[in-house]
Amino acid sequence: MSASGGSVDTGTGYGRPRPTTMRELTEVGAGTPMGELLRRYWHPVGLAGDASATPRALRVLGEDLVLFRDGGGRPGLVTARCAHRGTTLYYGRVEERGIRCCYHGWLFDVAGHCLEQPCEPDGGRQRERIRQPWYPVAERYGLIFAYLGPPERKPVLPRYAALERLDEGEPVETDDHSIGGGGPVIIPCNWLQHYENLMDSLHVPILHGSFSGPQFTAQMGLMPEVTWAITDRGVKATSDRRLPDGTVHHRISEAVLPTLRVIPNPRVARYARVESIGWVLPHDDTSFRIYTVGRVRAPGELASVRSRLNGKPWEELTEAEHRRFPGDYEAQVGQGPVTLHSEENLVSSDRGVALVRRVLRQQLDALAAGHDPIGVCFDADASPIIFEAGNFLHAS
Ligand code: FES
Ligand SMILES: [Fe+2]
């Protein structure tokens, strides 16, 4: 009985415990558990063309960096803060041998060696004692990859069969745009909200099949039967949809560690193995972006499969249309900058999400025990990785 004589309300918002997040899974800075795990892998930090004679400011795993390409064509990635007195190399000038700081003209090469100190006698007699912090980079598939981890554990940059074994005339195309449903290039929420969404197979018929759509195809709007499993690369989801003609659309998606989106085309243009890979790049704890590489049959194809909602690209939608046709951006950013894990209620259809978290925790434990995490490879002759993911048609 309440003070006013009626029955006492239950389940109100009052008196809830202070919410918490799984910081060990979400934080990406150096020295944090996940930050150190992510630093054991190569990450794409730009399109090949982003490394140019114009310094480009990047934020990667909470670090401010500057990407450039010296006059010899070598890409370089250095910390933004100049080793002299700390102004940003973003305002530097790229030259034949490296990048020159705008403040006192120190010149650094792509490995951070200080080549000149023009204000010092003889160009700096002690200059070889200075090192601008730098990171190794490598170019592949039209992307610049960087390794921000311990040098002695640097793995080989992986190759992927999906991007290597090209049919005649199939170019590889890169895209640095956004999440499937559209949104700004930089998504303002924690990377894990997007990454674990890859295994959230049951949101597809709801968010994409009903609220925003059908956003992809009517077929993808059917409620699938889903099973999930941990693999030796991450987690996979298998979704079966029984089609009106009695055949079964058998769809396998993979979340590959550390941040790979191995998701077959949701428009099911043809039944085949996956033809594109996306990488989720955490900028910091509350923002990320995505790089995608795919085999295409015609130039511009990757960009052309971006969703239109209510017949428009995402950026042209009015606020009222965002509310009528919410997509991945609205749902994931809507969880907040970093979701409140203590307030979640995971159910059986969240099993894929739970497995992603479990597999990440297993790697944190492996790292703490002095082991390398799954998926890192030190064999330069290793054959390209073959994914299971794809859209397939089964007779029944
Ligand atoms: S701060 Fe860069 S050269 Fe002085
Ligand atoms: Fe989605």
Side-chain angles (χ1 to χ4, degrees):
M1 184 83 80
S2 72
S4 59
S7 60
V8 176
D9 296 331
T10 58
T12 75
Y14 180 76
R16 311 201 296 296
R18 182 183 290 274
T20 57
T21 62
M22 295 173 177
R23 295 175 55 187
E24 70 284 7
L25 295 185
T26 56
E27 293 181 349
V28 300
T32 63
M34 183 55 64
E36 291 302 308
L37 175 60
L38 291 169
R39 279 168 174 75
R40 295 301 189 92
Y41 300 86
W42 290 87
H43 295 268
V45 298
L47 304 182
D50 292 345
S52 74
T54 304
R56 189 179 180 92
L58 303 181
R59 198 154 162 74
V60 179
L61 304 181
E63 300 191 40
D64 287 311
L65 307 173
V66 167
L67 178 69
F68 66 98
R69 189 183 297 275
D70 72 12
R74 290 172 289 261
L77 183 65
V78 292
T79 57
R81 208 184 148 76
C82 175
H84 179 213
R85 279 183 26 226
T87 194
T88 173
L89 294 172
Y90 173 67
Y91 296 115
R93 185 170 68 207
V94 176
E95 301 184 358
E96 184 65 24
R97 296 193 299 158
I99 185 166
R100 189 181 295 279
C101 179
C102 70
Y103 206 178
H104 312 94
W106 289 18
L107 178 68
F108 304 104
D109 72 9
V110 295
H113 298 104
C114 185
L115 306 179
E116 290 179 20
Q117 297 173 340
C119 306
E120 289 295 291
D122 301 327
R125 293 181 199 127
Q126 306 284 323
R127 65 175 180 267
E128 63 281 353
R129 289 166 57 175
I130 301 293
R131 197 77 180 265
Q132 178 69 22
W134 69 288
Y135 290 116
V137 291
E139 294 186 73
R140 182 164 295 162
Y141 307 133
L143 295 172
I144 307 266
F145 289 86
Y147 177 73
L148 277 65
E152 68 280 6
R153 302 313 300 160
K154 183 174 78 177
V156 296
L157 180 61
R159 289 185 177 278
Y160 302 101
L163 303 178
E164 299 263 336
R165 294 180 190 151
L166 306 181
D167 296 341
E168 191 85 16
E170 270 189 335
V172 166
E173 194 166 75
T174 57
D175 190 31
D176 63 350
H177 198 68
S178 186
I179 50 182
V185 171
I186 297 172
I187 315 290
C189 70
N190 184 257
W191 69 282
L192 186 59
Q193 278 151 239
H194 181 71
Y195 184 61
E196 66 188 15
N197 164 268
L198 303 178
M199 292 296 105
D200 182 357
S201 311
L202 275 313
H203 86 281
V204 175
I206 307 298
L207 182 68
H208 302 296
S210 164
F211 274 80
S212 66
Q215 187 183 332
F216 304 132
T217 61
Q219 180 174 324
M220 286 296 285
L222 300 173
M223 189 63 76
E225 271 179 40
V226 188
T227 56
W228 293 273
I230 289 180
T231 70
D232 56 5
R233 295 186 287 272
V235 182
K236 72 171 178 178
T238 305
S239 301
D240 286 328
R241 289 175 169 84
R242 186 163 296 280
L243 304 181
D245 66 0
T247 58
V248 173
H249 174 199
H250 183 73
R251 177 178 165 84
I252 302 176
S253 303
E254 297 184 59
V256 173
L257 264 54
T259 66
L260 276 66
R261 303 157 36 93
V262 187
I263 305 295
N265 184 347
R267 281 170 193 76
V268 201
R270 61 176 181 169
Y271 291 99
R273 279 196 190 247
V274 69
E275 295 167 316
S276 69
I277 300 173
W279 287 261
V280 182
L281 176 71
H283 280 200
D284 50 33
D285 295 344
T286 54
S287 67
F288 69 90
R289 70 181 300 157
I290 295 168
Y291 289 102
T292 305
V293 178
R295 283 155 45 198
V296 295
R297 271 152 288 283
E301 190 178 310
L302 266 191
S304 74
V305 299
R306 282 185 206 138
S307 289
R308 297 176 79 82
L309 298 155
N310 204 23
K312 297 177 182 176
W314 183 89
E315 40 283 330
E316 290 177 17
L317 296 179
T318 64
E319 188 56 27
E321 286 170 317
H322 282 300
R323 297 179 67 184
R324 272 178 60 213
F325 304 98
D328 282 317
Y329 174 89
E330 287 76 11
Q332 292 163 34
V333 174
Q335 291 174 298
V338 185
T339 197
L340 306 176
H341 295 101
S342 62
E343 300 203 345
E344 293 178 333
N345 293 288
L346 296 196
V347 290
S348 66
S349 47
D350 297 309
R351 180 168 161 73
V353 170
L355 289 183
V356 169
R357 296 177 186 177
R358 183 189 301 174
V359 113
L360 289 171
R361 285 184 197 286
Q362 287 170 350
Q363 307 319 304
L364 296 181
D365 291 345
L367 222 57
H371 304 301
D372 293 306
I374 60 170
V376 303
C377 172
F378 300 95
D379 176 7
D381 299 322
S383 38
I385 295 162
I386 299 173
F387 295 126
E388 258 189 274
N391 287 309
F392 309 99
L393 195 61
H394 288 185
S396 63

Short mmCIF file of all heavy atoms in Angstrom, two decimals, residues 81-89 100-108 118 132, ligand 1:
data_model
loop_
_atom_site.label_atom_id
_atom_site.label_comp_id
_atom_site.label_asym_id
_atom_site.label_seq_id
_atom_site.Cartn_x
_atom_site.Cartn_y
_atom_site.Cartn_z
N ARG A 81 52.27 15.02 -32.69
CA ARG A 81 53.02 15.96 -31.85
C ARG A 81 54.50 15.92 -32.17
O ARG A 81 55.16 14.89 -32.03
CB ARG A 81 52.79 15.52 -30.40
CG ARG A 81 52.87 16.57 -29.41
CD ARG A 81 52.72 16.05 -27.99
NE ARG A 81 53.53 16.92 -27.16
CZ ARG A 81 53.16 18.15 -26.81
NH1 ARG A 81 51.98 18.62 -27.18
NH2 ARG A 81 53.96 18.91 -26.11
N CYS A 82 55.05 17.06 -32.61
CA CYS A 82 56.46 17.11 -33.01
C CYS A 82 57.36 16.82 -31.81
O CYS A 82 57.13 17.31 -30.70
CB CYS A 82 56.77 18.49 -33.58
SG CYS A 82 58.52 18.72 -33.97
N ALA A 83 58.42 16.04 -32.08
CA ALA A 83 59.33 15.63 -31.01
C ALA A 83 60.12 16.81 -30.46
O ALA A 83 60.75 16.69 -29.40
CB ALA A 83 60.29 14.56 -31.53
N HIS A 84 60.11 17.96 -31.13
CA HIS A 84 60.83 19.10 -30.59
C HIS A 84 60.02 19.74 -29.47
O HIS A 84 60.24 19.43 -28.30
CB HIS A 84 61.15 20.11 -31.71
CG HIS A 84 61.86 21.33 -31.22
ND1 HIS A 84 61.68 22.58 -31.78
CD2 HIS A 84 62.75 21.50 -30.21
CE1 HIS A 84 62.44 23.45 -31.13
NE2 HIS A 84 63.10 22.83 -30.19
N ARG A 85 59.06 20.60 -29.80
CA ARG A 85 58.29 21.23 -28.74
C ARG A 85 56.80 21.10 -28.98
O ARG A 85 56.01 21.89 -28.47
CB ARG A 85 58.73 22.68 -28.55
CG ARG A 85 60.00 22.71 -27.68
CD ARG A 85 60.51 24.11 -27.36
NE ARG A 85 59.52 25.13 -27.36
CZ ARG A 85 59.68 26.33 -27.97
NH1 ARG A 85 60.80 26.61 -28.61
NH2 ARG A 85 58.73 27.21 -27.94
N GLY A 86 56.43 20.10 -29.76
CA GLY A 86 55.06 19.62 -29.67
C GLY A 86 54.00 20.22 -30.57
O GLY A 86 52.82 19.90 -30.41
N THR A 87 54.38 21.07 -31.53
CA THR A 87 53.27 21.48 -32.40
C THR A 87 52.92 20.32 -33.31
O THR A 87 53.62 19.30 -33.38
CB THR A 87 53.60 22.75 -33.22
OG1 THR A 87 52.36 23.25 -33.77
CG2 THR A 87 54.54 22.44 -34.36
N THR A 88 51.81 20.45 -34.01
CA THR A 88 51.35 19.32 -34.80
C THR A 88 51.99 19.30 -36.19
O THR A 88 52.09 20.35 -36.85
CB THR A 88 49.81 19.29 -34.92
OG1 THR A 88 49.46 18.26 -35.86
CG2 THR A 88 49.25 20.62 -35.42
N LEU A 89 52.37 18.11 -36.61
CA LEU A 89 52.94 17.96 -37.95
C LEU A 89 51.87 18.04 -39.03
O LEU A 89 52.18 17.99 -40.22
CB LEU A 89 53.72 16.64 -38.05
CG LEU A 89 54.98 16.59 -37.17
CD1 LEU A 89 55.57 15.18 -37.18
CD2 LEU A 89 56.01 17.61 -37.63
N ARG A 100 58.50 18.08 -42.79
CA ARG A 100 59.22 19.12 -42.06
C ARG A 100 58.22 19.89 -41.19
O ARG A 100 57.20 20.37 -41.68
CB ARG A 100 59.90 20.09 -43.04
CG ARG A 100 60.85 21.07 -42.34
CD ARG A 100 61.49 22.03 -43.34
NE ARG A 100 62.37 21.40 -44.30
CZ ARG A 100 63.65 21.04 -44.08
NH1 ARG A 100 64.19 21.25 -42.90
NH2 ARG A 100 64.35 20.49 -45.05
N CYS A 101 58.54 20.00 -39.90
CA CYS A 101 57.68 20.71 -38.96
C CYS A 101 57.67 22.20 -39.29
O CYS A 101 58.71 22.79 -39.62
CB CYS A 101 58.18 20.47 -37.54
SG CYS A 101 57.19 21.32 -36.28
N CYS A 102 56.49 22.81 -39.17
CA CYS A 102 56.35 24.21 -39.55
C CYS A 102 56.99 25.16 -38.54
O CYS A 102 57.27 26.32 -38.85
CB CYS A 102 54.87 24.57 -39.69
SG CYS A 102 53.97 24.61 -38.10
N TYR A 103 57.26 24.68 -37.30
CA TYR A 103 57.62 25.62 -36.24
C TYR A 103 59.11 25.98 -36.30
O TYR A 103 59.48 27.14 -36.43
CB TYR A 103 57.25 24.99 -34.88
CG TYR A 103 56.95 25.96 -33.76
CD1 TYR A 103 56.57 25.48 -32.51
CD2 TYR A 103 57.05 27.34 -33.94
CE1 TYR A 103 56.28 26.34 -31.47
CE2 TYR A 103 56.76 28.20 -32.90
CZ TYR A 103 56.39 27.72 -31.66
OH TYR A 103 56.10 28.56 -30.62
N HIS A 104 59.99 24.96 -36.25
CA HIS A 104 61.44 25.23 -36.29
C HIS A 104 62.12 24.40 -37.36
O HIS A 104 63.34 24.31 -37.39
CB HIS A 104 62.08 24.97 -34.93
CG HIS A 104 61.32 25.59 -33.80
ND1 HIS A 104 60.37 24.89 -33.08
CD2 HIS A 104 61.31 26.86 -33.32
CE1 HIS A 104 59.82 25.70 -32.17
NE2 HIS A 104 60.36 26.91 -32.30
N GLY A 105 61.30 23.76 -38.20
CA GLY A 105 61.84 23.15 -39.41
C GLY A 105 62.52 21.80 -39.27
O GLY A 105 63.20 21.37 -40.20
N TRP A 106 62.34 21.12 -38.15
CA TRP A 106 62.95 19.79 -38.06
C TRP A 106 62.33 18.89 -39.14
O TRP A 106 61.11 18.94 -39.37
CB TRP A 106 62.71 19.17 -36.68
CG TRP A 106 63.51 19.83 -35.58
CD1 TRP A 106 64.10 21.05 -35.62
CD2 TRP A 106 63.76 19.29 -34.28
NE1 TRP A 106 64.72 21.32 -34.43
CE2 TRP A 106 64.53 20.26 -33.58
CE3 TRP A 106 63.43 18.11 -33.62
CZ2 TRP A 106 64.97 20.05 -32.28
CZ3 TRP A 106 63.85 17.92 -32.31
CH2 TRP A 106 64.63 18.88 -31.65
N LEU A 107 63.21 18.11 -39.75
CA LEU A 107 62.76 17.22 -40.84
C LEU A 107 62.84 15.77 -40.36
O LEU A 107 63.89 15.33 -39.87
CB LEU A 107 63.66 17.41 -42.07
CG LEU A 107 63.36 16.52 -43.28
CD1 LEU A 107 62.02 16.87 -43.92
CD2 LEU A 107 64.48 16.62 -44.32
N PHE A 108 61.72 15.04 -40.52
CA PHE A 108 61.66 13.64 -40.10
C PHE A 108 61.36 12.74 -41.29
O PHE A 108 60.50 13.07 -42.12
CB PHE A 108 60.54 13.43 -39.07
CG PHE A 108 60.67 14.31 -37.86
CD1 PHE A 108 59.85 15.43 -37.71
CD2 PHE A 108 61.60 14.03 -36.87
CE1 PHE A 108 59.96 16.24 -36.59
CE2 PHE A 108 61.71 14.83 -35.73
CZ PHE A 108 60.90 15.94 -35.60
N PRO A 118 67.36 22.87 -38.67
CA PRO A 118 67.98 24.02 -39.33
C PRO A 118 68.35 25.17 -38.41
O PRO A 118 69.20 25.98 -38.79
CB PRO A 118 66.91 24.45 -40.36
CG PRO A 118 65.66 23.78 -39.96
CD PRO A 118 66.01 22.56 -39.19
N GLN A 132 61.12 10.89 -33.91
CA GLN A 132 59.68 11.17 -33.91
C GLN A 132 58.97 9.82 -33.84
O GLN A 132 59.22 8.94 -34.67
CB GLN A 132 59.30 11.90 -35.21
CG GLN A 132 57.83 12.22 -35.36
CD GLN A 132 57.37 13.28 -34.37
OE1 GLN A 132 58.17 14.08 -33.87
NE2 GLN A 132 56.09 13.28 -34.07
S1 FES B 1 58.06 22.14 -32.59
FE1 FES B 1 58.54 21.06 -34.38
S2 FES B 1 60.44 21.82 -34.98
FE2 FES B 1 60.03 22.89 -33.14
#
